[in-house]
Amino acid sequence: MRNLFFYGTLRHEALLETVLGDAGVAALRPAQLPGYRAYWADGHGFPFLTQEPGGQAIGLLAEGLSDDAIARLDFYEGGFGYGLHPVTVQTDHGPVAAQVWLVPDGTYDRGAPFDLDDWARCRAALNVRAAAEVMGLYGTRSAAEVARMYPMIEMRAQSWVMGRAEQVPDAPGGMTRADVDLIDSQTPYIDYFAVESQRLRFRKFSGDMGPEVHYASFVATDAALVLPYDPVRDRVMLVEQFRMGPQVRGDRVPWQLEPIAGRIDADETPEQTARREALEEAGLELRGLELISRAYPSPGCSNEYFHTYLGLADLPEDAAGVGGLLAESEDIRSHILSFDAAMGMADRGEIRVVPLLMALYWLARHRDRLRAGA
């Protein structure tokens, strides 16, 4: 049995319970670690400890942890460069020998001082959901593999949190999630994307609960899409890039014309993602955003959810070019087209990506208003 000092997010009860599972913890009590202070890892959603004369890291002392509990905790922490080190913490009953997770100097850049309440307001629900996916991989994947996948795990968690919180109109039939009886859920495939398989029953329009069914869904994330439009010049920007969906389908032309798009990072709003992606993919500063829709592109087989915008922008001839992030193997060519030319392509069936068609048709409906206000 061992003692561990928690100074960061594992002080949150729901997160700790998710990570420990049935292993549990014998006792938790307040403690402090002199000579250290906790800071956010800059650009990440977690803290780290740094030595600081006169500092004092506040936290919890977990006493009597089993080998299984330690193994689960080490799996959760280990892929991010953390290792256990012996320390002496101070409690109301005097000093106690314990261990704490530390990272080597220089592993992360130091951000602001860590505050658990700030983290809980912004990220607790997301991190608890992400931890459930991480711990579902315990015993089947290495901590290093989980760390590689973790950005997408966080984005999937962000999507789930947004889905639970979003205020949406009632279905015409009046049914909600309360009319679904979830029996079992499994994730037979998980990597950059995932597949979730559920056994469930749902209420029929007759009012009776239906039979047990076995359904599956491709699990992606929420994404922000933006069609740049210059109302003065009456032009749009479309982007062209290689796409895996047409490649797998056997399409003769895997390159597609699309709106600018990107997955919503864990600490972003859809609007922030739309602006970031416009810069990354096309070097474009957007003057404003108009919401087109928030919708599922294919709800029968995927949880993917699109926040689609029209982006007001200046689009001179030289705005087109090649962009994208090399780190993500992106190779994206942007095209400037007149509104009439883009709609002509839509009419001829030359645009084969539904969100782009939807955005163009929305623009056709609102174009006069946008041009009048330019």
Side-chain angles (χ1 to χ4, degrees), residues 59-287:
L60 291 174
L61 178 65
E63 298 179 287
L65 288 162
S66 67
D67 290 343
D68 183 34
I70 295 292
R72 292 179 65 89
L73 288 161
D74 201 41
F75 174 76
Y76 183 71
E77 298 280 355
F80 299 92
Y82 291 81
L84 284 171
H85 295 263
V87 292
T88 299
V89 298
Q90 300 296 325
T91 73
D92 291 342
H93 302 287
V96 176
Q99 291 180 295
V100 67
W101 274 287
L102 301 175
V103 293
D105 291 342
T107 301
Y108 298 112
D109 293 330
R110 193 171 80 178
F114 177 73
D115 183 278
L116 184 67
D117 290 336
D118 287 345
W119 168 86
R121 281 191 294 270
C122 299
R123 294 182 58 93
L126 184 155
N127 283 136
V128 171
R129 176 70 178 184
E133 183 169 327
V134 167
M135 298 314 297
L137 299 171
Y138 178 63
T140 65
R141 299 288 186 96
S142 69
E145 288 178 297
V146 171
R148 174 182 60 80
M149 293 188 291
Y150 194 72
M152 276 299 290
I153 290 174
E154 273 205 330
M155 281 190 267
R156 285 193 285 271
Q158 167 89 330
S159 179
W160 185 86
V161 170
M162 292 172 69
R164 299 286 284 192
E166 188 173 7
Q167 297 300 309
V168 296
D170 288 344
M175 264 91 81
T176 69
R177 177 175 289 270
D179 296 290
V180 180
D181 176 19
L182 178 60
I183 300 165
D184 181 59
S185 178
Q186 302 290 331
T187 309
Y189 173 81
I190 182 170
D191 203 286
Y192 185 79
F193 295 118
V195 173
E196 185 168 340
S197 173
Q198 295 186 355
R199 290 189 299 111
L200 54 82
R201 300 167 68 223
F202 59 86
R203 194 172 306 282
K204 299 164 66 176
F205 290 114
S206 66
D208 299 325
M209 289 299 288
E212 180 180 316
V213 294
H214 184 189
Y215 289 160
S217 174
F218 173 80
V219 183
T221 70
D222 282 29
L225 291 72
V226 58
L227 174 65
Y229 175 62
D230 184 334
V232 175
R233 298 179 177 91
D234 200 24
R235 294 172 172 172
V236 296
M237 174 184 281
L238 313 183
V239 297
E240 177 187 4
Q241 62 183 310
F242 173 84
R243 283 309 199 189
M244 195 60 186
Q247 168 71 11
V248 170
R249 182 174 177 264
D251 198 309
R252 188 181 69 84
V253 183
W255 279 259
Q256 298 290 310
L257 284 173
E258 305 177 338
I260 290 168
R263 304 201 175 278
I264 298 172
D265 285 346
D267 292 315
E268 283 186 324
T269 65
E271 292 82 4
Q272 289 170 333
T273 301
R275 292 181 179 277
R276 172 177 59 78
E277 290 291 340
L279 277 173
E280 291 177 0
E281 294 193 358
L284 198 60
E285 292 264 10
L286 299 178
R287 296 201 314 269

Side-chain angles (χ1 to χ4, degrees), residues 30-55:
Q32 300 83 38
L33 178 58
Y36 288 85
R37 197 177 299 276
Y39 290 91
W40 284 101
D42 194 36
H44 300 275
F46 50 81
F48 68 101
L49 278 184
T50 183
Q51 285 187 295
E52 189 170 297

